[in-house]
Amino acid sequence: HVQLVESGGGSVQAGGSLTLSCVASGYTSRDNCLAWFRQAPGEERKKVGGIYKPDGTTYYIDPVKGRFTISQDNAKNALYLEMSSLKPDDSGMYYCAATTTGWGEIVCNTNSAYNAWGRGTQVTVS
């Protein structure tokens, strides 16, 4: 049974920083696509960025480039999202997600391919 658990959310002032963590259990995330999504109230859940597998290249949406950094610790089966220079528009519920049955750039770029999700951690920037 695949389980993803996020942590690290909170309230922060604009310009501040937060680091989110996501720990996976029930499977090894080494070879599967990993990503962070966020959902603001009244909006659709959108991908913030992720890690292409198997090469490990990270990618981000334009609004967070240069401010957010995604990394992975294979030994801990963990995914991280370091966020800096936070803006109120960054507020929302942040989810980590993984594909458990595929990899490669095409799969990693297909949002519907993500079939394992955490419950989310709230980030509020004021």
Side-chain angles (χ1 to χ4, degrees):
H1 173 67
V2 176
Q3 187 173 22
L4 302 176
V5 180
E6 304 95 336
S7 62
S11 296
V12 64
Q13 290 188 337
S17 302
L18 281 174
T19 297
L20 307 183
S21 301
C22 173
V23 177
S25 61
Y27 89 114
T28 300
S29 61
R30 186 168 306 176
D31 296 321
N32 299 99
C33 306
L34 298 167
W36 286 96
F37 290 73
R38 72 183 176 195
Q39 185 171 23
E43 297 185 10
E44 293 184 354
R45 189 159 51 186
K46 299 178 182 177
K47 187 186 288 180
V48 173
I51 299 180
Y52 288 129
K53 293 300 182 74
D55 67 8
T57 303
T58 54
Y59 60 96
Y60 307 88
I61 58 171
D62 285 344
V64 307
K65 284 181 180 177
R67 301 189 298 118
F68 288 15
T69 302
I70 293 174
S71 61
Q72 181 183 14
D73 186 332
N74 287 328
K76 297 181 179 180
N77 225 18
L79 180 71
Y80 303 100
L81 178 64
E82 298 177 62
M83 305 182 293
S84 62
S85 302
L86 283 162
K87 305 174 181 179
D89 285 349
D90 295 321
S91 297
M93 187 70 78
Y94 281 71
Y95 301 88
C96 70
T99 63
T100 61
T101 58
W103 57 87
E105 188 168 329
I106 294 176
V107 173
C108 295
N109 282 333
T110 303
N111 289 351
S112 59
Y114 290 84
N115 57 346
W117 292 84
R119 292 188 174 184
T121 186
Q122 179 69 39
V123 172
T124 302
V125 185
S126 59

Short mmCIF file of all heavy atoms in Angstrom, two decimals, residues 12-57:
data_model
loop_
_atom_site.label_atom_id
_atom_site.label_comp_id
_atom_site.label_asym_id
_atom_site.label_seq_id
_atom_site.Cartn_x
_atom_site.Cartn_y
_atom_site.Cartn_z
N VAL A 12 3.49 32.02 6.95
CA VAL A 12 4.73 32.78 6.83
C VAL A 12 4.42 34.12 6.17
O VAL A 12 3.47 34.23 5.40
CB VAL A 12 5.78 31.98 6.02
CG1 VAL A 12 5.31 31.76 4.60
CG2 VAL A 12 7.13 32.63 6.06
N GLN A 13 5.23 35.10 6.49
CA GLN A 13 5.05 36.40 5.86
C GLN A 13 5.66 36.39 4.47
O GLN A 13 6.59 35.61 4.17
CB GLN A 13 5.71 37.48 6.71
CG GLN A 13 4.98 37.75 8.01
CD GLN A 13 5.53 38.95 8.75
OE1 GLN A 13 6.68 39.33 8.54
NE2 GLN A 13 4.72 39.55 9.61
N ALA A 14 5.14 37.24 3.62
CA ALA A 14 5.68 37.39 2.27
C ALA A 14 7.18 37.64 2.34
O ALA A 14 7.64 38.43 3.17
CB ALA A 14 4.97 38.51 1.54
N GLY A 15 7.91 36.97 1.48
CA GLY A 15 9.35 37.07 1.47
C GLY A 15 10.03 36.00 2.30
O GLY A 15 11.25 35.82 2.21
N GLY A 16 9.25 35.27 3.07
CA GLY A 16 9.80 34.22 3.91
C GLY A 16 10.03 32.92 3.17
O GLY A 16 9.85 32.83 1.96
N SER A 17 10.43 31.90 3.95
CA SER A 17 10.78 30.61 3.37
C SER A 17 10.12 29.47 4.14
O SER A 17 9.85 29.61 5.35
CB SER A 17 12.31 30.41 3.40
OG SER A 17 12.98 31.44 2.70
N LEU A 18 9.89 28.39 3.45
CA LEU A 18 9.40 27.16 4.06
C LEU A 18 9.99 26.00 3.28
O LEU A 18 10.24 26.11 2.07
CB LEU A 18 7.88 27.06 4.01
CG LEU A 18 7.04 27.83 5.02
CD1 LEU A 18 5.56 27.69 4.67
CD2 LEU A 18 7.30 27.34 6.43
N THR A 19 10.18 24.89 3.96
CA THR A 19 10.58 23.66 3.29
C THR A 19 9.57 22.58 3.60
O THR A 19 9.32 22.26 4.77
CB THR A 19 11.98 23.20 3.73
OG1 THR A 19 12.94 24.19 3.36
CG2 THR A 19 12.34 21.88 3.07
N LEU A 20 8.98 22.03 2.56
CA LEU A 20 8.02 20.94 2.70
C LEU A 20 8.74 19.62 2.49
O LEU A 20 9.67 19.52 1.69
CB LEU A 20 6.90 21.09 1.68
CG LEU A 20 6.17 22.43 1.65
CD1 LEU A 20 5.03 22.38 0.63
CD2 LEU A 20 5.67 22.82 3.01
N SER A 21 8.28 18.61 3.21
CA SER A 21 8.83 17.27 3.07
C SER A 21 7.70 16.31 2.73
O SER A 21 6.55 16.52 3.10
CB SER A 21 9.49 16.83 4.38
OG SER A 21 10.52 17.71 4.75
N CYS A 22 8.07 15.26 2.04
CA CYS A 22 7.12 14.20 1.71
C CYS A 22 7.85 12.88 1.84
O CYS A 22 8.87 12.66 1.17
CB CYS A 22 6.61 14.39 0.28
SG CYS A 22 5.58 13.04 -0.33
N VAL A 23 7.35 12.03 2.70
CA VAL A 23 7.97 10.73 2.90
C VAL A 23 7.07 9.66 2.30
O VAL A 23 5.86 9.63 2.57
CB VAL A 23 8.21 10.46 4.39
CG1 VAL A 23 8.78 9.06 4.60
CG2 VAL A 23 9.16 11.50 4.96
N ALA A 24 7.67 8.80 1.52
CA ALA A 24 6.93 7.73 0.85
C ALA A 24 7.15 6.40 1.56
O ALA A 24 8.26 6.11 2.03
CB ALA A 24 7.37 7.62 -0.60
N SER A 25 6.13 5.61 1.63
CA SER A 25 6.26 4.26 2.16
C SER A 25 5.40 3.32 1.30
O SER A 25 4.48 3.76 0.62
CB SER A 25 5.81 4.19 3.61
OG SER A 25 4.45 4.56 3.74
N GLY A 26 5.76 2.08 1.31
CA GLY A 26 4.99 1.11 0.55
C GLY A 26 5.52 0.88 -0.85
O GLY A 26 5.08 -0.03 -1.55
N TYR A 27 6.47 1.72 -1.26
CA TYR A 27 7.11 1.50 -2.55
C TYR A 27 8.36 2.35 -2.59
O TYR A 27 8.55 3.24 -1.76
CB TYR A 27 6.18 1.85 -3.71
CG TYR A 27 6.24 3.29 -4.16
CD1 TYR A 27 6.71 3.62 -5.42
CD2 TYR A 27 5.84 4.33 -3.33
CE1 TYR A 27 6.77 4.93 -5.85
CE2 TYR A 27 5.90 5.64 -3.74
CZ TYR A 27 6.37 5.93 -5.00
OH TYR A 27 6.43 7.23 -5.41
N THR A 28 9.22 2.08 -3.56
CA THR A 28 10.46 2.83 -3.69
C THR A 28 10.27 3.88 -4.77
O THR A 28 9.94 3.55 -5.91
CB THR A 28 11.63 1.92 -4.08
OG1 THR A 28 11.79 0.95 -3.06
CG2 THR A 28 12.91 2.73 -4.22
N SER A 29 10.49 5.14 -4.41
CA SER A 29 10.24 6.22 -5.35
C SER A 29 11.41 6.51 -6.27
O SER A 29 11.38 7.46 -7.02
CB SER A 29 9.88 7.50 -4.56
OG SER A 29 10.95 7.88 -3.73
N ARG A 30 12.42 5.67 -6.21
CA ARG A 30 13.65 5.99 -6.94
C ARG A 30 13.43 6.09 -8.44
O ARG A 30 14.03 6.91 -9.11
CB ARG A 30 14.70 4.90 -6.65
CG ARG A 30 16.06 5.18 -7.23
CD ARG A 30 17.05 4.20 -6.65
NE ARG A 30 17.03 4.23 -5.19
CZ ARG A 30 17.74 3.42 -4.44
NH1 ARG A 30 18.52 2.51 -4.98
NH2 ARG A 30 17.67 3.51 -3.12
N ASP A 31 12.56 5.25 -8.98
CA ASP A 31 12.42 5.19 -10.43
C ASP A 31 11.10 5.72 -10.94
O ASP A 31 10.78 5.52 -12.11
CB ASP A 31 12.62 3.75 -10.90
CG ASP A 31 14.00 3.24 -10.61
OD1 ASP A 31 14.95 4.03 -10.76
OD2 ASP A 31 14.13 2.07 -10.21
N ASN A 32 10.33 6.35 -10.11
CA ASN A 32 9.03 6.84 -10.55
C ASN A 32 8.97 8.35 -10.47
O ASN A 32 9.67 8.99 -9.69
CB ASN A 32 7.93 6.22 -9.69
CG ASN A 32 7.91 4.72 -9.80
OD1 ASN A 32 8.43 4.02 -8.94
ND2 ASN A 32 7.35 4.23 -10.89
N CYS A 33 8.10 8.94 -11.28
CA CYS A 33 7.96 10.38 -11.32
C CYS A 33 7.46 10.89 -9.97
O CYS A 33 6.59 10.28 -9.35
CB CYS A 33 6.96 10.80 -12.39
SG CYS A 33 7.32 10.16 -14.04
N LEU A 34 8.01 12.00 -9.57
CA LEU A 34 7.59 12.65 -8.33
C LEU A 34 7.28 14.11 -8.62
O LEU A 34 7.95 14.73 -9.45
CB LEU A 34 8.70 12.57 -7.29
CG LEU A 34 9.13 11.18 -6.85
CD1 LEU A 34 10.43 11.26 -6.07
CD2 LEU A 34 8.04 10.54 -6.01
N ALA A 35 6.32 14.66 -7.93
CA ALA A 35 5.96 16.05 -8.20
C ALA A 35 5.28 16.67 -6.99
O ALA A 35 4.78 15.97 -6.10
CB ALA A 35 5.04 16.13 -9.42
N TRP A 36 5.29 17.98 -6.99
CA TRP A 36 4.53 18.76 -6.02
C TRP A 36 3.43 19.51 -6.76
O TRP A 36 3.66 20.10 -7.82
CB TRP A 36 5.44 19.77 -5.31
CG TRP A 36 6.35 19.17 -4.29
CD1 TRP A 36 7.65 18.80 -4.47
CD2 TRP A 36 6.02 18.86 -2.94
NE1 TRP A 36 8.16 18.30 -3.30
CE2 TRP A 36 7.18 18.32 -2.34
CE3 TRP A 36 4.87 18.99 -2.15
CZ2 TRP A 36 7.23 17.91 -1.01
CZ3 TRP A 36 4.92 18.58 -0.84
CH2 TRP A 36 6.08 18.05 -0.28
N PHE A 37 2.23 19.45 -6.19
CA PHE A 37 1.10 20.18 -6.71
C PHE A 37 0.61 21.13 -5.62
O PHE A 37 0.89 20.93 -4.44
CB PHE A 37 -0.05 19.23 -7.06
CG PHE A 37 0.20 18.35 -8.25
CD1 PHE A 37 1.09 17.29 -8.19
CD2 PHE A 37 -0.47 18.57 -9.44
CE1 PHE A 37 1.30 16.48 -9.29
CE2 PHE A 37 -0.27 17.76 -10.54
CZ PHE A 37 0.62 16.71 -10.48
N ARG A 38 -0.11 22.14 -6.02
CA ARG A 38 -0.75 23.00 -5.01
C ARG A 38 -2.14 23.38 -5.49
O ARG A 38 -2.42 23.43 -6.69
CB ARG A 38 0.07 24.25 -4.73
CG ARG A 38 0.10 25.30 -5.83
CD ARG A 38 1.01 26.46 -5.45
NE ARG A 38 1.11 27.44 -6.52
CZ ARG A 38 2.04 28.39 -6.56
NH1 ARG A 38 2.94 28.49 -5.59
NH2 ARG A 38 2.07 29.24 -7.56
N GLN A 39 -2.98 23.62 -4.50
CA GLN A 39 -4.36 23.99 -4.81
C GLN A 39 -4.79 25.13 -3.90
O GLN A 39 -4.79 24.98 -2.68
CB GLN A 39 -5.29 22.79 -4.63
CG GLN A 39 -6.72 23.05 -5.05
CD GLN A 39 -7.55 21.78 -5.07
OE1 GLN A 39 -7.24 20.79 -4.41
NE2 GLN A 39 -8.61 21.78 -5.84
N ALA A 40 -5.13 26.24 -4.53
CA ALA A 40 -5.66 27.39 -3.79
C ALA A 40 -7.18 27.25 -3.69
O ALA A 40 -7.79 26.58 -4.53
CB ALA A 40 -5.27 28.68 -4.49
N PRO A 41 -7.79 27.85 -2.70
CA PRO A 41 -9.24 27.78 -2.56
C PRO A 41 -9.95 28.22 -3.84
O PRO A 41 -9.64 29.27 -4.40
CB PRO A 41 -9.53 28.72 -1.40
CG PRO A 41 -8.28 28.75 -0.60
CD PRO A 41 -7.17 28.62 -1.60
N GLY A 42 -10.88 27.39 -4.31
CA GLY A 42 -11.65 27.74 -5.49
C GLY A 42 -10.94 27.51 -6.80
O GLY A 42 -11.49 27.82 -7.86
N GLU A 43 -9.74 26.99 -6.74
CA GLU A 43 -8.97 26.75 -7.96
C GLU A 43 -8.66 25.27 -8.13
O GLU A 43 -8.75 24.49 -7.19
CB GLU A 43 -7.68 27.56 -7.95
CG GLU A 43 -7.88 29.06 -7.92
CD GLU A 43 -6.58 29.82 -8.02
OE1 GLU A 43 -5.54 29.18 -8.30
OE2 GLU A 43 -6.59 31.05 -7.82
N GLU A 44 -8.29 24.93 -9.35
CA GLU A 44 -7.89 23.55 -9.62
C GLU A 44 -6.49 23.29 -9.07
O GLU A 44 -5.69 24.19 -8.91
CB GLU A 44 -7.89 23.30 -11.13
CG GLU A 44 -9.26 23.33 -11.77
CD GLU A 44 -9.18 22.97 -13.25
OE1 GLU A 44 -8.08 22.83 -13.78
OE2 GLU A 44 -10.25 22.86 -13.87
N ARG A 45 -6.25 22.05 -8.77
CA ARG A 45 -4.91 21.66 -8.33
C ARG A 45 -3.96 21.75 -9.51
O ARG A 45 -4.26 21.24 -10.60
CB ARG A 45 -4.96 20.25 -7.76
CG ARG A 45 -3.70 19.81 -7.09
CD ARG A 45 -3.95 18.67 -6.12
NE ARG A 45 -4.69 17.57 -6.70
CZ ARG A 45 -5.11 16.54 -6.00
NH1 ARG A 45 -4.89 16.47 -4.69
NH2 ARG A 45 -5.77 15.57 -6.59
N LYS A 46 -2.82 22.38 -9.30
CA LYS A 46 -1.85 22.61 -10.38
C LYS A 46 -0.48 22.12 -9.96
O LYS A 46 -0.09 22.22 -8.80
CB LYS A 46 -1.77 24.10 -10.72
CG LYS A 46 -3.07 24.70 -11.21
CD LYS A 46 -2.92 26.19 -11.46
CE LYS A 46 -4.24 26.80 -11.91
NZ LYS A 46 -4.13 28.26 -12.10
N LYS A 47 0.24 21.61 -10.91
CA LYS A 47 1.58 21.15 -10.63
C LYS A 47 2.51 22.34 -10.45
O LYS A 47 2.48 23.29 -11.24
CB LYS A 47 2.10 20.25 -11.74
CG LYS A 47 3.45 19.60 -11.43
CD LYS A 47 3.98 18.83 -12.63
CE LYS A 47 3.21 17.58 -12.88
NZ LYS A 47 3.74 16.83 -14.04
N VAL A 48 3.34 22.27 -9.42
CA VAL A 48 4.33 23.29 -9.15
C VAL A 48 5.66 22.92 -9.79
O VAL A 48 6.37 23.77 -10.33
CB VAL A 48 4.51 23.47 -7.63
CG1 VAL A 48 5.67 24.40 -7.32
CG2 VAL A 48 3.23 23.99 -7.00
N GLY A 49 5.97 21.66 -9.75
CA GLY A 49 7.22 21.17 -10.33
C GLY A 49 7.40 19.72 -9.99
O GLY A 49 6.59 19.13 -9.26
N GLY A 50 8.46 19.13 -10.50
CA GLY A 50 8.69 17.72 -10.23
C GLY A 50 10.07 17.27 -10.64
O GLY A 50 10.95 18.09 -10.97
N ILE A 51 10.23 15.98 -10.58
CA ILE A 51 11.50 15.36 -10.94
C ILE A 51 11.25 14.35 -12.04
O ILE A 51 10.42 13.44 -11.88
CB ILE A 51 12.14 14.63 -9.74
CG1 ILE A 51 12.44 15.62 -8.61
CG2 ILE A 51 13.40 13.91 -10.16
CD1 ILE A 51 13.07 14.97 -7.39
N TYR A 52 11.95 14.54 -13.16
CA TYR A 52 11.87 13.57 -14.24
C TYR A 52 12.65 12.32 -13.82
O TYR A 52 13.71 12.40 -13.24
CB TYR A 52 12.48 14.12 -15.52
CG TYR A 52 11.66 15.19 -16.19
CD1 TYR A 52 12.25 16.39 -16.55
CD2 TYR A 52 10.32 14.98 -16.49
CE1 TYR A 52 11.51 17.38 -17.19
CE2 TYR A 52 9.57 15.96 -17.11
CZ TYR A 52 10.18 17.16 -17.47
OH TYR A 52 9.46 18.13 -18.10
N LYS A 53 12.08 11.18 -14.17
CA LYS A 53 12.78 9.93 -13.92
C LYS A 53 12.96 9.17 -15.22
O LYS A 53 12.06 9.20 -16.07
CB LYS A 53 12.00 9.07 -12.92
CG LYS A 53 11.95 9.66 -11.52
CD LYS A 53 13.36 9.83 -10.94
CE LYS A 53 13.33 10.37 -9.53
NZ LYS A 53 12.90 9.34 -8.58
N PRO A 54 14.05 8.51 -15.45
CA PRO A 54 15.04 8.20 -14.42
C PRO A 54 16.20 9.18 -14.28
O PRO A 54 17.05 8.98 -13.43
CB PRO A 54 15.56 6.84 -14.89
CG PRO A 54 15.51 6.93 -16.38
CD PRO A 54 14.26 7.72 -16.67
N ASP A 55 16.26 10.26 -15.09
CA ASP A 55 17.48 11.08 -15.05
C ASP A 55 17.56 12.04 -13.88
O ASP A 55 18.62 12.59 -13.61
CB ASP A 55 17.67 11.81 -16.38
CG ASP A 55 16.60 12.86 -16.63
OD1 ASP A 55 15.80 13.13 -15.73
OD2 ASP A 55 16.58 13.42 -17.73
N GLY A 56 16.45 12.28 -13.18
CA GLY A 56 16.50 13.11 -11.99
C GLY A 56 16.46 14.60 -12.23
O GLY A 56 16.62 15.39 -11.29
N THR A 57 16.23 15.03 -13.46
CA THR A 57 16.15 16.46 -13.76
C THR A 57 14.90 17.06 -13.12
O THR A 57 13.83 16.47 -13.18
CB THR A 57 16.10 16.69 -15.27
OG1 THR A 57 17.24 16.10 -15.86
CG2 THR A 57 16.08 18.17 -15.60
#
